[in-house]
Amino acid sequence: QVQLVESGGGLVQAGGSLRLSCAASGRTFSTYAMGWFRQAPGKEREFVAAIGWSGGSTYYADSVKGRFTISRDNAKNTVYLQMNSLKPEDTAVYYCAVARTGSITVHEYHYGYWGQGTQVTVSS
């Protein structure tokens, strides 16, 4: 059974940092792109960042570019999201997901597996 488990969320003050982790189990995802999405209260889920299967290519939403860094460790079947200079508008539930392709994609419908999410709250 495939399972994605996010961790690392929490409460942080504006300007602070958090590092999210997403550990996958049940199969190897080293040949698939992985991504992070988030959903704020009352809003639709939105793309945050994605990384190609090898880790050599990344892509970010404009709202997080320069502040967030996505990375992966295929040996550990884990993807990370380092979040710096956090803002109150970054408050959301963050989800990791595995794409159906090895190439980066920003569209939810290209992702086949999803985690349960981890809450990130940034206070002002």
Side-chain angles (χ1 to χ4, degrees):
Q1 181 179 357
V2 174
Q3 193 172 21
L4 301 178
V5 178
E6 301 98 336
S7 62
L11 173 64
V12 63
Q13 288 189 332
S17 298
L18 284 174
R19 189 194 194 204
L20 305 183
S21 299
C22 173
S25 61
R27 62 171 293 182
T28 299
F29 293 108
S30 59
T31 59
Y32 296 93
M34 299 185 76
W36 286 94
F37 290 76
R38 67 186 181 185
Q39 186 168 22
K43 295 186 177 181
E44 293 188 352
R45 190 159 56 185
E46 64 176 3
F47 168 80
V48 175
I51 187 167
W53 70 272
S54 69
S57 56
T58 57
Y59 188 77
Y60 299 91
D62 287 343
S63 59
V64 307
K65 199 173 298 182
R67 300 187 297 121
F68 291 10
T69 302
I70 187 171
S71 61
R72 66 189 297 165
D73 184 338
N74 284 341
K76 296 181 179 179
N77 231 16
T78 299
V79 64
Y80 305 96
L81 186 68
Q82 177 67 43
M83 306 185 295
N84 298 329
S85 302
L86 282 161
K87 305 175 181 180
E89 51 264 44
D90 295 318
T91 295
V93 177
Y94 283 71
Y95 300 88
C96 71
V98 180
R100 298 187 179 94
T101 172
S103 301
I104 287 176
T105 176
V106 304
H107 302 294
E108 284 193 38
Y109 51 81
H110 286 156
Y111 288 82
Y113 296 103
W114 292 83
Q116 293 299 307
T118 184
Q119 177 70 47
V120 171
T121 303
V122 184
S123 63
S124 56

